[in-house]
Amino acid sequence: MWCANVFTIFPEAFPGNLGVSNIGKALAANIWRLNLMDLKKFPAKSDRIDAIPYGGGSGMLLSPITFEIAYESLSNDAKLCKKIYFSPRGRQLQQKDLSAISHAPGITLLCGRYEGVDQRILDHYGFEEVSIGDFVLMGGEVAAMAIIEGCVRLLSGVVGEADSISSDSFQNGLLEHDQYTRPQTFRGLSVPEELLSGDHKKIREFRLQQSKKITREKRPDLWIEYVAAEMRAPWQH
Ligand code: ADE
């Protein structure tokens, strides 16, 4: 079963958003497991889980000794999982990273608080630093929930129609096309007539062209990548 191991000093923040809708149902149905590791239960010898930084500075850092004790209580399988530490310094993950993680046995996540963690925790245990955007949060818990939700929805049996994953933004390198429902006209705005035609080939083509236009306009960086990939392997597009 796919497992998210989460080191945090606020286990009570979980499952939070991960307990609702399809992700919560999948948790209850044992499609995935949430293994919370409460760092407060693993104090270092000094009886503190945090300590002041060498060289001075504000705030406290998670002690490497505390983390070592907590880490040792992980199963050997969990120790083999990819490790992520949440910080605004990190790389922003892409849909393809989440897809790779969802195909692995699980993920091990460290949520920082205070000013952060002792760098040797990241260096010794091989954590990748990951950010969810160029802004600063109070800690990594919300970021952990975002990454877990993004991975769990890719697991088999979590999202009803397999189709709604295949048409996701990013899945084929493009942003998703616009969507419309009833009524056919709302405040003078009509549903594009191509979608009313009932001709599935025409609808697919219309949506693809719209995805391309939206990607080009909203995310030129993704568009450049898409065009380059199309030139390398045109049969995939
Ligand atoms: N912790 C604090 N800010 C963060 C961010 N932007 N992304 C991930 N973790 C964080």
Side-chain angles (χ1 to χ4, degrees):
M1 191 194 325
W2 192 87
C3 181
N5 305 288
V6 182
F7 291 96
T8 171
I9 58 162
F10 293 121
E12 62 273 26
F14 294 86
N17 210 52
L18 302 172
V20 302
S21 186
N22 289 29
I23 311 291
K25 283 187 203 144
L27 181 60
N30 290 327
I31 292 178
W32 70 285
R33 192 163 82 86
L34 182 58
N35 179 28
L36 290 172
M37 317 286 292
D38 182 354
L39 287 165
K40 293 193 297 301
K41 295 205 174 125
F42 301 97
K45 283 201 193 80
S46 62
D47 260 343
R48 290 204 60 101
I49 62 172
D50 54 355
I52 53 170
Y54 277 115
S58 62
M60 307 286 269
L61 304 179
L62 177 67
S63 146
I65 307 287
T66 297
F67 183 77
E68 180 177 52
I69 299 166
Y71 185 81
E72 281 317 311
S73 70
L74 273 184
S75 70
N76 286 336
D77 284 351
K79 284 181 183 155
L80 294 175
C81 288
K82 178 177 173 63
K83 299 176 194 73
I84 285 178
Y85 168 64
F86 292 106
S87 132
R89 276 191 348 184
R91 175 173 78 91
Q92 290 182 30
L93 295 188
Q94 311 289 316
Q95 185 66 16
K96 58 179 182 293
D97 297 305
L98 268 59
S99 175
I101 295 167
S102 73
H103 284 99
I107 184 82
T108 293
L109 306 173
L110 172 57
C111 304
R113 280 275 158 177
Y114 327 108
E115 277 306 290
V117 302
D118 187 300
Q119 182 61 32
R120 291 164 298 180
I121 296 176
L122 311 185
D123 295 345
H124 178 74
Y125 293 99
F127 277 88
E128 182 183 1
E129 280 187 87
V130 162
S131 166
I132 60 165
D134 287 343
F135 46 81
V136 181
L137 301 169
M138 292 296 289
E141 285 77 11
V142 168
M145 285 184 214
I147 299 304
I148 295 171
E149 180 171 317
C151 290
V152 170
R153 67 183 288 282
L154 299 176
L155 300 177
S156 162
V158 176
V159 171
E161 280 175 74
D163 253 9
S164 48
I165 289 214
S166 63
S167 69
D168 274 354
S169 286
F170 311 117
Q171 203 69 19
N172 60 356
L174 294 172
L175 298 179
E176 199 183 4
H177 52 77
D178 294 342
Q179 301 268 28
Y180 298 88
T181 184
R182 274 183 280 245
Q184 209 171 303
T185 303
F186 174 73
R187 306 270 180 224
L189 300 170
S190 298
V191 175
E193 72 184 49
E194 289 84 346
L195 299 178
L196 308 171
S197 66
D199 178 340
H200 293 292
K201 192 162 170 253
K202 196 166 156 191
I203 293 172
R204 252 198 323 276
E205 186 52 30
F206 173 74
R207 285 180 164 164
L208 177 62
Q209 292 312 323
Q210 202 183 42
S211 275
K212 288 184 178 180
K213 181 169 181 285
I214 290 170
T215 308
R216 207 167 45 232
E217 287 170 5
K218 290 188 195 284
R219 290 289 301 272
D221 56 324
L222 286 182
W223 178 246
I224 288 168
E225 260 182 58
Y226 177 84
V227 171
E230 197 176 35
M231 273 156 51
R232 281 197 303 274
W235 56 87
Q236 282 181 3
H237 292 269

